Structures are given as C-alpha cells and as structure tokens.
C-alpha cells in the first residue's frame, strides 16, 4: 500500500512540475517560486502528517482498549463492592464483608499474641515477645504503618494499661494460637520494646494462680478489651443460612474440641443447637421466630430525640436509637417491609406483630443467648466473693458444730458412765425389789396371821368382857341384896 502511495506522490510531483513548466510563460518568477515552495512544503509535511495520523490511530486504539478495560473494571468494582446477587453460591461483596469484619472486630481493641512467660516473682509476671512475633497493631482506616525505627523504641504494651490475660494454645485449623484459659485482669507496670511486666488488679483465683505459678500457661495473649461473643465463629466453614439453620450449620467438631470437656452438657448442647429449630421445652428467652409479613408494614427504630450515649444511653425507653451513630437513613426513622418479606425476631416481638395481624409464623428457632463477658466475669467474681464469705461462715459454723460434737461426745462419755452406774443400780434395785417383795410377802403373811390372832383375841376379849359384865352384875346384885337385908 505504501509503495502505491509513493508512486502516486511521484506522479503528482511530476505532474506539478509539468504544469509549472507550461505555465511559466504566463507567470512571474515570484509566482513560480511560491508554487514550487508550496509543493515542497506540502510533500515535506505529508510525512509528519502521516506519522501523526498513524500515532493518532494507535492512541485511539489504546483509548478504546482502555475504555473497555475501564468499563470492565467499573463492573468488576461494582461486583466486588456489592457482590453478585445472581451467584447461586451467594456472592458477598466488600461492603458486606466489611460490615461482618466490623461486627467481629467491634470493641475488640488491641491484642498482643504469642508472648512467652519468662519469670514469676510474687505478683509480678514478666512476658517476652517471641522470636517471630505476630503483628497485632493493624493500621486503622487505611493509615500507614509506623516507622520501623520509631516502633523499635516504643514499649511493647503501653504502661498503665489494663489488659486481660489468656493462656493460648495452637489449633490445627487456625494459623495463630487461640486463647483457651482466662488468667485474669492485669495492669502493665513496666514495658520495653520486647518485654512487659504485669501485676494483677485483684486477687487471682486458685486455678489461675496455679496455672501461672506452675508455668502451665507458657504462651500468653493480652487483650485490651474482652472479646465479644457471637454466633458466626461457631458456624462450619462454607455453611450458609437456610431453613434448617438460620446462622449456618454449627461446626460440631470445633465446638466439641474447644468446649467439650470444659463446660456442662447443657451449655455444650446450647452451642451445638444454636440456630436450629426450637423445641417446646426451650426457655422463652432462647426462642426466636422467623415471620413473613402479610401486608406492608414499617417498624420505627429511631427516636425523634438525638443525644450522645453518655447523656442517657444509646436507646430511649421504647428501645429506639437516640445515638446518631446507630440511627438509620430511612425516612422518619422507620424501616419499611413489603408483603412477603421474611425476618427473624424474638418470640415476644413476633407475638406483637401476630396480634396486629401483619405477619404470619414461618418457623421457630433456638438461639443461644450471647455472653457479655465483662458482666459475666464481674458476676463470677462477685459470686466467688460471696462464696468465699459463705465459706468462712460455714467454717465458723463447722467449728461451732465440731465444738458441740466434742461437747456432746464428752457428755456422751459421762452419760455412758452414768448409764452404766444406773444399769448397776437398776440391777441392784431389781434384786432389792425382789427381796422387798419377798419380805413384803412375809410381812403380809405375818400381818394376816397377826390379824387373825388379833381377831381371835378380840373375840376372846369380847367374850371375857361379857363374862366380866355378867360376873360384875352378879356381884352387884349380891351386894345390893346384902345391903337391903341389913
């Protein structure tokens, strides 16, 4: 193609000079010179113009390719950001993943893992950083990591900070050691770039003291804040929510390995049944209901008042959010629901919607109540304090009872002696009573005989008395007759 253009150019130049030669007799010299220079410039600039056009064509092709790539990158960015709703595997976007990550990391604070126990001196516990430390201070909001030289002079943990210690152990399916035993609350008293010294903020429990003193807790994790409980960490990898499991299928192997021999069977069962269908015996606070709206309905979640959490909490008396960070962007602060939409709420809230006739029951599920470890640990500590006080009271009562038992034993010994003497006295009294009985019988016999004798003597005396009366009367009569005779 370029040779044909070159040949056409040569023909055009030859034709030009022929025309100029024929017109020379009518033109002036300056006209001929101007025409020749114009032809030379036209031919000379033809090559740069060709290069420009060629470059423009190449850049236009690059532009079209970049425009296509830009359009595809925008589509990919949108897909990455929002996910693919048509993906049967349930494509999740960066926004949702970020929300999940924020939910998991909410109030997590800073963490220092893989700290090795170096020394225990009284209440002071010294930990050193492992040879290959695990990075824990991740830049927040896309910030740049700190300068390496400056970081090398900073303390490992800020002095004066209150941290929570956990004994950690490696797990087969996790890349980092996992905390497995709570060691207590500590305050950082001294720290260097690779060493930290801790003291307990309160009296440790005997099992915590034993784990530290016997170096059973060789590897430590320090947490600035206590971890949050959740349902998702115990869901099997790759499992998705469905009609059988509202959170996903529980990872039974993980739950049994972590909690199997450390909690009572009822607690273990609550983790294994989390998100499954409920039974009639489940407590009301664990029963959650999946409902389907039968008509359009809106639920007011934001209060008309706005104030900070320090001015009275995050919610008002009706449970509506008053903190602007928790309020939604819906109009009038109410979330709208269309007929046919399904949500899962507590049984109490579902009953209110049923009473209003705006929803119907789909299914009922067992949902494990989440633990607030700050409250739980405080409650356990208070309970242990109460138990310690009760233990002292029981010890005192046991001492009193033991003294009473000892006194009773002494009294029993004395009473045994008294009983033995009484038994001897009883035996002697039996003998004496038998003797008395026999003597009584003898006396009775004698009394009877004496009575019979007395009766006989009395009768004899009566007869003698009558005889004496008769004799006396006879003598009296004799005396009277003699007196009369004189």
């Amino acid at each position: 193609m370029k040779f044909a253009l070159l040949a056409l150019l040569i023909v055009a130049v030859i034709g030009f000079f022929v025309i100029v030669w024929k017109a020379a007799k009518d033109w002036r010299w300056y006209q001929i010179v101007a025409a020749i220079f114009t032809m030379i410039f036209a031919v000379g600039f033809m090559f740069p113009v060709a290069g420009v056009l060629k470059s423009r064509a190449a850049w236009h092709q690059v532009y079209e390719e970049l425009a296509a790539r830009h359009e595809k990158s925008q589509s990919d960015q949108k897909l990455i950001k929002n996910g693919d709703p048509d993906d049967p595997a349930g494509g999740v976007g960066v926004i949702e993943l970020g929300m999940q990550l924020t939910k998991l990391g909410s109030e997590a604070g800073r963490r220092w893992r893989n700290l090795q126990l170096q020394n225990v001196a009284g209440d002071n516990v010294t930990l050193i950083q492992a040879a290959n430390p695990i990075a824990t201070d991740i830049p927040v909001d896309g910030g740049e990591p700190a300068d390496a030289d400056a970081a090398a002079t900073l303390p490992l943990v800020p002095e004066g900070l209150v941290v929570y210690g956990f004994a950690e152990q490696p797990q087969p399916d996790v890349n980092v050691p996992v905390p497995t035993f709570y060691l207590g609350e500590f305050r950082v008293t001294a720290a260097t770039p690779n060493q930290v010294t801790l003291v307990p903020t309160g009296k440790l429990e005997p099992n915590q003291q034993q784990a530290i003193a016997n170096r059973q807790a060789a590897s430590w994790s320090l947490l600035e804040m206590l971890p949050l409980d959740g349902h998702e960490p115990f869901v099997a990898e790759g499992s998705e929510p469905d009609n059988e499991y509202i959170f996903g299928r529980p990872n039974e192997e993980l739950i049994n390995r972590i909690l199997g021999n450390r909690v009572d069977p009822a607690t273990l069962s609550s983790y294994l049944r989390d998100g499954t269908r409920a039974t009639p015996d489940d407590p009301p606070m664990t029963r959650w209901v999946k409902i389907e709206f039968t008509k359009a309905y809106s639920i007011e979640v934001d209060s008309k008042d706005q104030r900070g959490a320090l001015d009275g909490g995050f919610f008002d008396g009706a449970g509506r959010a008053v903190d602007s960070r928790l309020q939604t962007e819906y109009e009038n602060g109410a979330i709208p629901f269309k007929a046919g939409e399904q949500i899962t709420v507590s049984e109490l809230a579902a009953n209110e919607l049923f009473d209003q006739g705006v929803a119907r029951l789909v299914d009922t599920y067992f949902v494990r109540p989440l633990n607030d470890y700050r409250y739980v640990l405080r409650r356990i500590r208070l309970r242990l304090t109460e138990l310690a006080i009760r233990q002292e009271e029981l010890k005192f009562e046991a001492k009193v009872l033991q003294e009473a038992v000892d006194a009773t034993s002494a009294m029993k010994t004395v009473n045994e002696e008294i009983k033995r003497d009484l038994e001897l006295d009883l035996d002697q009294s039996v003998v004496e009573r038998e003797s008395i009985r026999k003597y009584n019988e003898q006396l009775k016999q004698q009394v009877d005989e004496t009575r019979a004798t007395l009766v006989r003597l009395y009768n004899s005396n009566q007869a003698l008395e009558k005889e004496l009366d008769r004799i006396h009367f006879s003598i009296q009569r004799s005396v009277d007759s003699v007196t009369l005779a004189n």
Side-chain angles (χ1 to χ4, degrees):
M1 182 66 182
K2 63 182 180 178
F3 294 106
L5 293 175
L6 183 60
L8 179 62
L9 180 61
I10 294 173
V11 170
V13 171
I14 294 173
F16 170 78
F17 282 108
V18 170
I19 293 173
V20 170
W21 176 69
K22 289 188 179 226
K25 58 183 179 180
D26 297 325
W27 288 4
R28 303 292 296 270
W29 65 271
Y30 55 85
Q31 293 174 330
I32 296 173
V33 172
I36 291 173
F37 274 102
T38 301
M39 185 62 184
I40 292 173
F41 287 143
V43 174
F45 282 105
M46 186 177 295
F47 294 98
V49 169
V52 171
L53 292 175
K54 183 178 180 180
S55 176
R56 182 181 183 281
W59 282 111
H60 183 71
Q61 184 178 358
V62 171
Y63 167 76
E64 291 182 346
E65 292 177 356
L66 291 177
R69 289 173 58 186
H70 176 67
E71 184 178 355
K72 185 176 184 303
S73 64
Q74 284 185 329
S75 177
D76 292 343
Q77 183 182 13
K78 184 177 180 181
L79 184 65
I80 293 173
K81 185 177 180 180
N82 301 320
D84 186 4
D86 299 329
D87 187 357
V92 180
V94 172
I95 294 179
E96 185 173 352
L97 288 176
M99 292 176 63
Q100 295 177 5
L101 181 61
T102 302
K103 183 178 180 181
L104 290 176
S106 176
E107 300 183 7
R110 290 170 291 180
R111 286 150 288 177
W112 297 267
R113 296 191 178 97
N114 204 20
L115 302 177
Q116 304 303 312
L117 179 61
Q118 183 186 41
N119 185 34
V120 179
D123 290 339
N124 295 316
V125 179
T126 303
L127 306 176
I128 60 173
Q129 194 174 50
N132 296 317
I134 299 174
T136 57
D137 291 331
I138 302 174
V140 180
D141 297 333
E144 294 295 331
D147 182 75
D149 296 335
T153 61
L154 294 176
L156 179 62
V157 183
E159 293 186 12
L161 185 67
V162 175
V163 294
Y164 302 90
F166 290 84
E168 59 184 13
Q169 293 180 355
Q171 298 294 331
D173 53 351
V174 182
N175 295 328
V176 295
V178 175
T180 56
F181 182 78
Y182 179 60
L183 297 172
E185 182 180 280
F186 299 86
R187 184 181 299 278
V188 179
T189 58
T192 65
N194 60 354
Q195 181 174 300
V196 58
T197 302
L198 312 172
V199 294
T201 58
K203 184 178 180 181
L204 299 179
E205 301 303 324
N207 55 348
Q208 296 172 337
Q209 296 176 354
Q210 182 179 2
I212 297 174
N214 297 342
R215 296 183 178 271
Q216 297 174 355
S219 181
W220 286 49
S221 287
L222 297 181
L223 278 67
E224 186 179 17
M225 303 185 71
L226 287 171
L228 299 178
D229 194 7
H231 305 283
E232 291 79 5
F234 300 97
V235 174
E237 185 176 359
S239 177
E240 296 293 336
D242 53 27
N243 293 332
E244 293 290 332
Y245 308 100
I246 59 174
F247 303 120
R249 179 176 55 84
N251 191 337
E252 296 184 6
E253 189 274 333
L254 174 66
I255 295 173
N256 286 315
R257 185 176 73 245
I258 296 178
L259 305 175
N261 58 350
R262 300 183 180 183
V263 298
D264 58 86
T267 303
L268 180 63
S269 176
S270 68
Y271 279 85
L272 294 174
R273 294 187 53 224
D274 193 17
T276 61
R277 285 192 170 92
T279 63
D281 298 332
D282 291 330
M285 64 180 301
T286 64
R287 296 171 63 88
W288 284 65
V289 178
K290 179 185 287 187
I291 63 173
E292 179 179 323
F293 287 95
T294 57
K295 59 179 68 174
Y297 187 76
S298 61
I299 300 177
E300 187 177 0
V301 296
D302 296 338
S303 175
K304 298 294 189 279
D305 299 331
Q306 287 191 358
R307 60 175 183 267
L310 298 179
D311 299 327
F314 294 97
F315 307 96
D316 61 10
R320 295 169 299 187
V322 295
D323 194 314
S324 59
R325 295 172 295 178
L326 299 179
Q327 292 181 340
T328 65
E329 298 179 355
Y330 291 99
E331 185 179 359
N332 298 325
I335 300 179
F337 293 96
K338 300 178 181 178
E341 285 192 66
Q342 294 184 354
I343 60 172
T344 303
V345 296
S346 66
E347 191 173 44
L348 179 61
N351 291 334
E352 294 181 359
L353 296 176
F354 295 155
D355 294 339
Q356 297 177 24
V358 298
R360 69 176 185 87
L361 173 66
V362 177
D363 214 335
T364 305
Y365 296 91
F366 172 85
V367 176
R368 174 180 62 88
L370 298 180
N371 298 308
D372 184 350
Y373 292 113
R374 292 170 296 181
Y375 171 79
V376 169
L377 292 176
R378 185 162 55 248
R379 177 73 175 176
I380 290 175
R381 178 170 294 182
L382 291 175
R383 183 60 178 162
L384 290 174
T385 303
E386 293 175 359
L387 291 176
I389 297 174
R390 182 58 180 163
Q391 184 180 15
E392 294 297 327
E393 293 176 352
L394 291 176
K395 286 182 179 179
F396 175 75
E397 292 177 359
K399 180 180 178 181
V400 173
L401 289 175
Q402 186 62 42
E403 292 176 354
V405 169
D406 294 340
T408 303
S409 299
M411 292 176 61
K412 182 179 179 181
T413 302
V414 175
N415 289 334
E416 288 289 341
E417 295 178 358
I418 296 174
K419 178 182 177 183
R420 185 169 57 253
D421 294 339
L422 290 176
E423 288 177 349
L424 293 175
D425 292 342
L426 178 62
D427 296 337
Q428 182 64 30
S429 64
V430 170
V431 174
E432 292 177 354
R433 187 174 60 182
E434 182 65 20
S435 300
I436 293 172
R437 185 185 64 79
K438 292 179 180 180
Y439 182 69
N440 185 39
E441 289 179 352
Q442 293 177 0
L443 289 178
K444 185 178 180 180
Q445 184 178 1
Q446 291 178 2
V447 168
D448 292 340
E449 292 176 354
T450 302
R451 180 178 296 171
T453 302
L454 290 174
V455 169
R456 183 170 38 80
L457 291 174
Y458 177 78
N459 294 331
S460 175
N461 288 335
Q462 289 290 330
L464 291 174
E465 184 178 1
K466 290 179 178 181
E467 183 65 24
L468 286 175
D469 290 338
R470 186 183 61 78
I471 294 173
H472 179 270
F473 181 75
S474 175
I475 294 174
Q476 182 69 32
R477 191 172 56 185
S478 296
V479 170
D480 292 337
S481 59
V482 170
T483 301
L484 293 175
N486 292 323

